[in-house]
Amino acid sequence: MALDRIPGEAELYIGGLFSLRRCQALKNANITHVVSALRLPLDEDLFQPYQHLVVEVDDVEDEDILQYFATSNAFINMGLATGGGVLVHW
């Protein structure tokens, strides 16, 4: 999956798990922070250059993701405020 920029002024991107392996694209987008929205074992080596937040959720209809919004929004805002780009992936 591609690394897709969310329309607007913020350097906010979405992508799938494999977007983390697109090192040059991440560098070009100035990604400094990554939010992982999934419940899978992750290769921590992929996240070494980044600040990383894991939101352990399943992609199911009855998952209560609202409980994570305050934490994830604060993390995203912190990344954007420091001048970096933020990738949210699942």
Side-chain angles (χ1 to χ4, degrees):
M1 171 173 251
L3 182 67
D4 295 314
R5 185 167 181 208
I6 301 297
E9 294 180 25
E11 296 294 325
L12 184 58
Y13 297 82
I14 59 170
L17 181 60
F18 293 107
S19 62
L20 290 167
R21 298 207 181 271
R22 299 187 62 214
C23 297
Q24 191 58 48
L26 296 170
K27 184 176 180 177
N28 291 347
N30 192 33
I31 299 298
T32 58
H33 291 66
V34 175
V35 178
S36 299
L38 46 78
R39 189 185 321 266
L40 290 173
L42 299 170
D43 179 359
E44 291 302 319
D45 290 339
L46 289 174
F47 302 98
Q48 289 302 320
Y50 312 107
Q51 296 291 316
H52 185 216
L53 173 67
V54 177
V55 178
E56 290 192 4
V57 292
D58 291 316
D59 188 10
V60 294
E61 190 174 300
D62 60 346
E63 184 73 61
D64 179 17
I65 64 172
L66 291 176
Q67 65 181 313
Y68 302 106
F69 279 16
T71 301
S72 59
N73 287 351
F75 181 83
I76 291 167
N77 286 330
M78 179 180 63
L80 296 173
T82 59
V86 179
L87 169 65
V88 179
H89 81 90
W90 61 95

